[in-house]
């Protein structure tokens, strides 16, 4: 029964996503503004995903967000539900750093590119550095950037080691880091199987912004470890 229900939900989400991707593409063509696509994702696409999955989300720590500022948002990566949760739960328009493979997906890749999503080639260091520079330019222009510092999720419990790219970006941009913990997403949409979807309570826990003022290259490792410990505590 769970398998049948999961397949039905996935079909609904696929149809819904195709409709939204098409709408976002049209919105970009009409407005010449990537923000229109991001607004559609925040206000229309992701709330419906949470509804279909039966994910009842609570968000704590909203008082830590100053909407007059911009952030580099860092969160743990646990499941396919992470992006919908962040997009629906954070009262900010932000741009993801995504793996380059997503850019090759027909229509979705085109819309993501037009919407300003930054693609990173993890296997090519020079291209990865170039992608982070693009992200840095967006931050300097007052945009929020969202990065999963673990780089991926493997289904294991606990946080994986953090990659340093996000912290080099924070250093160059001198922009505060906003730590966010994603809780129980893997219970609703398990990483191991998309055929075991089930309703449940999920949560976003937002921590206090972490200042990167004065951050230098020799302190990157310390900042990475400190941020990881903050997110780890938020998960408890």
């Amino acid at each position: 029964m769970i398998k049948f229900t999961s397949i039905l939900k996935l079909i609904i989400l696929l149809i819904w996503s195709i409709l939204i991707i098409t709408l976002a593409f049209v919105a970009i063509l009409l407005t010449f503004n990537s923000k229109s696509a991001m607004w559609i994702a925040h206000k229309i696409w992701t709330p419906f995903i949470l509804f279909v999955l039966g994910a009842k989300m609570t968000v704590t720590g909203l008082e830590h967000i100053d909407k007059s500022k911009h952030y580099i948002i860092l969160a743990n990566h646990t499941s396919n539900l992470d992006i919908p949760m962040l997009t629906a739960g954070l009262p900010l328009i932000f741009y993801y750093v995504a793996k380059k493979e997503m850019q090759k997906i027909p229509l979705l890749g085109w819309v993501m590119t037009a919407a300003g999503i930054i693609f990173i080639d993890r296997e090519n260091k020079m291209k990865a550095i170039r992608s982070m520079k693009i992200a840095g330019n967006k931050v300097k222009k007052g945009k929020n950037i969202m990065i999963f510092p673990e780089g991926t999720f493997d289904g294991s419990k606990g946080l994986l080691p953090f990659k340093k790219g996000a912290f080099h970006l924070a250093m160059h941009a001198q922009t505060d880091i906003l730590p966010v913990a994603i809780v129980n997403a893997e219970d609703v949409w398990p990483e191991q199987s998309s055929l075991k979807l089930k309703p449940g309570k999920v949560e976003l826990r937002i921590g206090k912004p972490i200042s990167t003022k004065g951050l230098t290259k020799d302190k990157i490792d310390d900042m990475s470890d400190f941020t990881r410990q903050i997110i780890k505590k938020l998960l408890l």
Side-chain angles (χ1 to χ4, degrees):
M1 185 63 181
I2 292 179
K3 184 176 181 180
F4 173 78
T5 304
S6 296
I7 291 174
L8 180 60
K9 288 181 178 180
L10 289 172
I11 292 173
I12 293 172
L13 294 183
L14 176 61
I15 295 172
W16 175 247
S17 295
I18 291 173
L19 290 173
I20 291 299
I21 289 169
T22 304
L23 176 62
F25 189 65
V26 171
I28 292 172
L29 290 177
L30 292 176
T31 64
F32 297 99
N33 190 336
S34 63
K35 276 190 175 182
S36 59
M38 301 309 294
W39 186 90
I40 289 170
H42 279 257
K43 301 297 183 180
I44 303 175
W45 179 56
T46 53
F48 186 76
I49 289 177
L50 295 177
F51 172 75
V52 170
L53 293 175
K56 296 181 179 180
M57 183 172 66
T58 58
V59 182
T60 58
L62 287 171
E63 68 275 9
H64 298 317
I65 295 178
D66 183 346
K67 292 184 180 180
S68 68
K69 295 182 178 181
H70 56 280
Y71 302 97
I72 296 174
I73 305 163
L74 302 185
N76 57 313
H77 203 6
T78 65
S79 84
N80 293 314
L81 189 58
D82 295 346
I83 289 177
M85 284 179 61
L86 289 164
T87 306
L90 295 179
L92 299 168
I93 296 295
F94 52 85
Y95 298 82
Y96 284 95
V97 174
K99 56 185 179 181
K100 68 167 187 175
E101 289 79 8
M102 296 191 72
Q103 193 174 19
K104 299 176 182 178
I105 300 174
L107 189 58
L108 176 61
W110 306 336
V111 173
M112 290 177 72
T113 300
I117 302 299
I118 303 156
F119 297 97
I120 187 167
D121 186 344
R122 297 171 183 164
E123 297 180 359
N124 187 312
K125 186 175 181 180
M126 294 305 297
K127 289 183 178 179
I129 291 173
R130 188 157 55 245
S131 297
M132 296 312 286
K133 286 183 178 179
I134 293 173
N137 289 334
K138 286 185 179 290
V139 173
K140 289 177 181 178
K141 291 178 180 178
K143 298 183 185 297
N144 301 294
I145 298 293
M146 167 63 218
I147 301 175
F148 293 114
E150 295 169 280
T152 187
F153 57 89
D154 63 0
S156 62
K157 296 293 183 180
L159 290 174
L160 297 175
F162 280 7
K163 298 183 183 300
K164 303 302 187 296
F167 302 96
H168 282 282
L169 172 60
M171 176 186 70
H172 289 297
Q174 293 290 293
T175 299
D176 286 356
I177 291 170
L178 186 68
V180 180
I182 298 170
V183 182
N184 295 333
E186 68 276 14
D187 292 340
V188 175
W189 193 336
E191 187 275 334
Q192 298 88 345
S193 176
S194 292
L195 299 182
K196 294 182 180 179
L197 306 177
K198 56 184 179 180
K201 294 181 180 179
V202 296
E203 187 177 356
L204 286 184
R205 298 173 184 168
I206 304 166
K208 294 180 180 180
I210 302 169
S211 175
T212 62
K213 186 177 182 180
L215 179 63
T216 55
K217 191 173 183 179
D218 60 314
K219 297 294 184 181
I220 290 290
D221 287 344
D222 291 340
M223 178 60 76
S224 174
D225 291 340
F226 178 73
T227 304
R228 187 174 182 276
Q229 288 302 314
I230 292 294
I231 294 178
K232 189 174 182 179
K233 288 180 181 178
L234 288 171
L235 289 168
L236 297 177

